[in-house]
């Protein structure tokens, strides 16, 4: 049985992944639409524009419609965003052959991974230990010859560039994505400390003995 | 006639003098005797005359009979855990210890009349588990959950049978605790910060859970108690889940955490660093910014943290009074404390005895008893 991302971390819910993938598709489609090779636009320019617009779209969603589960962990061109507590980066390329640069991690992502580890049941490390590798979550945007998105894949990439948990995110329409984060619970209000009179107890006991005696 | 033990008198004079924050020279000056005389009385090598003892009693706000009873349980420096022991001057510690000794005498007296909550403090010698695990176990033992803020830290301790009392006289001592017949935590109400007071209590709780039986004067125990306080008030999993996921968390988001968890910003930043949720650079920058904003001495949002008052002693005194068994004034009289002293130690108002009631010690000295 295939392990799905949400089996590993509940924050990676399918509707959230669909939301992010749809955003990426839409942004790239717009960038391709505006691409005019006859006026000198190159593939490099298209890639830059698509990348920057994707950052912009995710940042907007993180501060707006999806603010309860989407966040920006590291802004700037080395962009890292969070789906729930899970840090994710994206790159254009094949899911099964991630480029080395996709593995680069700065401190914010490392800290976010550590933070994610605390939220996992049983304090499992962000990487699973069975193969002794360290994995990170990446979204691969695969494109066709025109630069349009052919598929978007969530993948776990190890430090030796091997991959696992490859999940092709299906195309769906953007709908409302409810938060699946646990509700924050308020603290328990304790009662005041209990203090009782010794004499009351003694009186009670004495009375009881007396009653029994009369019986 | 009751036999007077000079050693007992001397110890009592010393404790009562220290509680008033007086030196031997101060007391000697008020009594118009030499400091050497006071020194000899306290050492038990010289027995003061009844008149001198009466004068000492008046100056130290006690009754002469106070000096005749042996002290049931004296607070000693090496058995009390002091926060900031290194920087707390000896005279401040001595005064705090005297306060603790008075408090213990009151508690023993009260426990003859009332039942306090049973002692329910787990014992986890430091090193038996990680400090985070010990703090989690304490939360479980006291049914506090692992993912919610502590609403009232004082009640947590008092429900576990620990007596919490106030000592508001000098900012040089934060709080101290002792694991005697009844565990006691004394907090300093001169500390204006409510979040700091809560941390102080959690810190002392750490000592009582992990360090019973160890040399309390060891400075090595303090970082462990700090770590316990942070882990108890900010349990790692819930804290990590709620900590903002950003390379540079905003002060607004950290202040929201403070308001929710009732823990100071400096403790939150420190806890985040200990859990590696922020890097060393942000940690340093945060401390510099807090210092520049004057938050080292006065943090924002303290008004959102509920005030916590100790309830155990006040409740015991109230039910004794309401039941007609023992009014505070009568209790003060039996302890041999002046009403003002009683109020200082307990925080509970104590009315003066009516003029037509003569303390028994004074009556004994009068001719009616000759």
């Amino acid at each position: 049985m295939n392990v799905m991302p949400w089996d590993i971390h509940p924050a990676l819910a399918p509707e959230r992944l669909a939301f992010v993938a749809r955003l990426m598709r839409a942004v790239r489609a717009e960038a391709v639409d505006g691409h005019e090779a006859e006026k000198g636009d190159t593939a490099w320019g298209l890639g830059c524009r698509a990348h920057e617009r994707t950052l912009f779209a995710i940042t907007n969603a993180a501060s707006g419609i999806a603010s309860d589960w989407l966040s920006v962990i590291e802004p700037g061109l080395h962009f890292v965003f969070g789906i729930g507590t899970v840090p994710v980066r994206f790159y254009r390329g094949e899911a099964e052959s991630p480029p080395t640069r996709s593995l680069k991690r700065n401190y914010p992502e490392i800290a976010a991974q550590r933070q994610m580890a605390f939220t996992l049941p049983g304090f499992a490390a962000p990487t699973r230990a069975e193969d002794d590798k360290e994995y990170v979550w990446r979204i691969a945007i695969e494109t066709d010859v025109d630069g349009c998105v052919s598929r978007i894949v969530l993948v776990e990439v190890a430090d030796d560039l091997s991959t696992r948990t490859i999940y092709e995110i299906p195309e769906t329409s953007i709908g409302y994505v409810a938060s699946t984060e646990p509700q924050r619970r308020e603290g328990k209000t304790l009662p005041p400390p209990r203090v009782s009179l010794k004499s009351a107890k003694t009186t009670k006991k004495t009375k009881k003995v007396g009653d029994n005696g009369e019986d | 006639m009751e036999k007077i033990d000079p050693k007992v008198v001397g110890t009592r004079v010393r404790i009562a003098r220290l509680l008033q924050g007086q030196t031997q020279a101060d007391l000697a000056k008020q009594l118009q005797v030499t400091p050497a005389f006071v020194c000899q009385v306290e050492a038990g090598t010289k027995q003061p005359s009844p008149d001198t003892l009466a004068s000492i009693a008046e100056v130290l706000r006690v009754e002469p009979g106070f000096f005749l009873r042996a002290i049931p349980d004296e607070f000693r420096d090496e058995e009390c855990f002091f926060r900031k022991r290194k920087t707390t001057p000896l005279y401040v510690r001595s005064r705090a210890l005297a306060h603790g000794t008075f408090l213990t005498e009151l508690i023993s007296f009260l426990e003859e009349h009332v039942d306090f909550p049973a002692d329910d403090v787990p014992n986890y010698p430091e090193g038996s588990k990680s400090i985070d695990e010990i703090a989690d176990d304490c939360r479980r033992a006291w049914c506090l959950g692992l993912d919610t803020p502590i609403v009232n830290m004082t009640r947590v301790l008092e429900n576990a049978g620990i007596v919490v009392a106030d000592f508001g006289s000098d900012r040089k001592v934060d709080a101290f605790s002792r694991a005697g017949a009844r565990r006691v935590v004394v907090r300093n109400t001169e500390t204006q910060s409510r979040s700091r007071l809560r941390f102080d209590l959690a810190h002392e709780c750490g000592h009582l859970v992990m360090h019973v039986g160890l040399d309390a004067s060891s400075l090595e125990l303090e970082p462990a108690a700090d770590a316990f306080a942070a882990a108890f008030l900010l349990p790692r999993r819930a804290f990590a889940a709620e900590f903002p996921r950003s390379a540079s968390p905003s002060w607004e988001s950290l202040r929201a955490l403070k308001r929710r968890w009732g823990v100071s910003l400096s403790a939150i930043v420190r806890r985040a660093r200990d859990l590696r949720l922020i890097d060393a650079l942000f940690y340093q920058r945060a401390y510099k910014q807090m210092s520049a904003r004057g938050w080292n001495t006065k943090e924002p949002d303290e008004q959102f943290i509920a005030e916590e008052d100790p309830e155990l002693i006040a409740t015991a005194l109230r039910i004794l009074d309401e039941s007609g068994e023992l009014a505070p004034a009568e209790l003060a009289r039996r302890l041999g404390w002046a009403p003002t002293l009683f109020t200082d130690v307990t925080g509970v108002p104590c009315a003066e005895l009516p003029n037509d009631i003569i303390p028994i010690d004074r009556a004994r000295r009068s001719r009616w008893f000759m």
Side-chain angles (χ1 to χ4, degrees):
Chain A
M1 193 178 129
N2 284 343
V3 177
M4 304 309 270
W6 50 90
D7 296 331
I8 297 168
H9 202 300
L12 298 172
E15 65 272 20
R16 290 180 177 186
L17 298 175
F19 178 94
V20 173
R22 178 78 186 183
L23 210 66
M24 290 172 166
R25 278 178 202 280
V27 167
R28 191 149 190 106
E30 275 181 21
V32 170
D33 279 350
H35 183 74
E36 296 184 62
E38 61 279 12
K39 289 184 180 174
D41 285 347
T42 61
W44 174 262
L46 173 63
C48 289
R49 190 159 54 246
H51 185 77
E52 286 186 320
R53 287 188 179 188
T54 306
L55 310 193
F56 182 75
I58 291 175
T59 306
N60 269 351
S63 60
I65 185 172
S67 61
D68 54 344
W69 58 269
L70 190 64
S71 60
V72 175
I73 293 171
E74 186 178 357
L77 292 178
H78 188 275
F79 188 73
V80 184
F81 63 100
I83 300 176
T85 54
V86 183
V88 181
R89 289 188 66 203
F90 68 91
Y91 65 89
R92 196 198 64 78
E94 290 179 10
E96 287 80 2
S97 315
T100 314
R101 62 186 162 76
S102 71
L103 278 181
K104 191 184 167 210
R105 286 185 299 162
N106 287 344
Y107 190 84
E109 185 179 3
I110 295 168
Q113 278 185 300
R114 187 173 172 75
Q115 194 169 351
M116 174 184 71
F118 283 114
T119 65
L120 288 172
F123 288 89
T127 57
R128 284 165 291 163
E130 65 264 32
D131 56 5
D132 202 28
K133 289 177 187 173
E134 191 167 355
Y135 285 89
V136 291
W137 288 100
R138 296 291 181 256
I139 287 179
I141 302 173
E142 297 184 0
T143 56
D144 57 21
V145 287
D146 299 324
C148 289
V149 173
S150 56
R151 66 174 193 150
I152 294 182
V153 181
L154 179 71
V155 60
E156 270 193 294
V157 184
D159 38 16
D160 63 355
L161 293 178
S162 60
T163 58
R164 68 177 184 189
T165 325
I166 296 173
Y167 171 69
E168 184 176 337
I169 305 172
E171 271 195 82
T172 54
S173 58
I174 297 179
Y176 172 72
V177 181
S179 171
T180 57
E181 298 298 311
Q183 290 289 313
R184 287 180 180 182
R185 296 199 303 129
E186 293 307 314
K188 185 178 172 185
T189 304
L190 296 177
R194 192 176 166 77
V195 183
S196 53
L197 279 175
K198 278 189 195 295
S199 60
K201 281 184 185 171
T202 317
T203 314
K204 218 173 181 179
K205 273 183 190 169
T206 314
K207 200 178 173 187
K208 207 174 176 184
V209 170
D211 289 344
N212 288 342
E214 281 169 21
D215 291 340
Chain B
M1 177 93 184
E2 202 170 350
K3 190 171 180 280
I4 295 175
D5 182 346
K7 289 273 182 199
V8 170
V9 173
T11 308
R12 285 274 183 184
V13 169
R14 177 173 53 81
I15 301 289
R17 170 181 63 77
L18 289 171
L19 182 70
Q20 303 297 328
Q22 292 188 12
T23 61
Q24 289 180 337
D26 293 335
L27 181 60
K29 195 175 172 187
Q30 291 183 75
L31 297 171
Q32 297 183 329
V33 296
T34 61
F37 174 77
V38 174
C39 182
Q40 286 168 332
V41 169
E42 289 189 1
T45 54
K46 185 162 262 181
Q47 189 171 323
S49 67
D51 284 344
T52 309
L53 205 56
S55 302
I56 295 173
E58 198 168 325
V59 168
L60 299 180
R61 296 194 290 161
V62 292
E63 295 295 332
F66 168 86
F67 297 115
L68 307 181
R69 296 191 314 271
I71 289 185
D73 192 11
E74 185 182 349
F75 272 43
R76 297 184 194 284
D77 193 38
E78 64 276 12
E79 41 177 51
C80 291
F81 300 100
F82 278 93
R83 280 202 79 185
K84 295 202 294 190
R85 172 180 282 272
K86 209 170 171 181
T87 54
T88 308
L90 184 61
Y91 75 91
V92 176
R93 285 214 306 272
S94 300
R95 188 171 181 201
L97 292 169
H99 185 93
T101 302
F102 268 73
L103 202 59
T104 302
E105 190 163 13
L106 171 73
I107 293 166
S108 331
F109 201 90
L110 286 174
E111 287 200 278
E112 290 172 14
H113 298 269
V114 297
D115 285 321
F116 283 152
D119 186 287
D120 181 26
V121 182
N123 182 24
Y124 292 106
E126 193 189 334
S128 60
K129 288 179 171 187
S130 78
I131 289 178
D132 275 299
E133 286 170 335
I134 292 174
D136 286 352
D137 282 353
C138 286
R139 273 180 164 259
R140 282 190 203 97
W142 294 328
C143 304
L144 299 169
L146 295 180
D147 58 353
T148 55
I150 302 289
V151 176
N152 188 324
M153 189 63 215
T154 309
R155 277 195 181 173
V156 169
L157 298 189
E158 291 194 323
N159 275 298
I162 300 170
V163 174
V164 180
D166 287 339
F167 173 68
S169 62
D170 200 313
R171 294 186 73 167
K172 287 176 183 144
V173 57
D174 271 347
F176 65 99
S177 59
R178 178 178 182 260
R182 170 68 63 178
R183 296 173 207 254
V184 175
V185 171
V186 181
R187 55 180 210 166
N188 189 345
T189 46
E190 287 294 300
T191 306
Q192 295 295 318
S193 159
R194 293 175 185 173
S195 58
R196 180 68 182 264
L197 269 177
R198 284 162 54 84
F199 196 90
D200 285 349
L201 292 179
H203 173 103
E204 297 308 324
C205 178
H207 281 311
L208 296 178
V209 168
M210 301 186 296
H211 300 144
V212 173
L214 300 183
D215 176 11
S217 60
S218 169
L219 297 175
E220 290 166 14
L221 305 180
E222 295 307 305
D226 275 338
F228 176 91
F232 188 74
L233 292 168
L234 300 169
R236 53 186 167 175
R237 188 184 297 187
F239 177 67
E242 292 188 20
F243 195 78
R245 284 177 287 280
S246 163
S248 300
S250 68
W251 281 115
E252 197 41 58
S253 61
L254 298 181
R255 285 172 65 173
L257 276 180
K258 172 178 177 171
R259 292 193 289 270
R260 172 164 160 75
W261 290 90
V263 177
S264 69
L265 287 169
S266 57
I268 286 172
V269 170
R270 176 62 196 259
R271 177 72 168 151
R273 179 59 194 145
D274 288 344
L275 295 176
R276 299 289 185 270
L277 303 179
I278 53 174
D279 62 8
L281 205 62
F282 179 82
Y283 178 70
Q284 282 183 339
R285 206 168 62 228
Y287 263 83
K288 279 181 188 166
Q289 286 181 10
M290 283 194 284
S291 176
R293 294 173 189 210
W295 291 356
N296 283 357
T297 47
K298 193 177 180 191
E299 279 200 5
D301 298 333
E302 287 295 323
Q303 71 275 21
F304 296 109
I305 298 167
E307 201 167 352
E308 297 179 13
D309 287 321
E311 296 170 275
L312 212 50
I313 290 179
T315 308
L317 292 172
R318 182 176 51 77
I319 63 169
L320 277 174
D321 191 14
E322 286 174 0
S323 67
E325 193 167 322
L326 203 58
E330 174 59 14
L331 177 57
R333 193 190 64 74
R334 290 196 198 176
L335 286 164
W337 301 357
T340 53
L341 182 75
F342 184 88
T343 303
D344 284 355
V345 174
T346 63
V348 173
C350 175
E352 297 271 354
L353 284 172
N355 289 335
D356 56 348
I357 296 180
I358 304 166
I360 195 76
D361 307 287
R362 207 176 298 158
R364 279 200 181 119
R365 285 199 312 276
S366 73
R367 59 197 162 103
W368 301 318
F369 281 76
M370 300 291 273

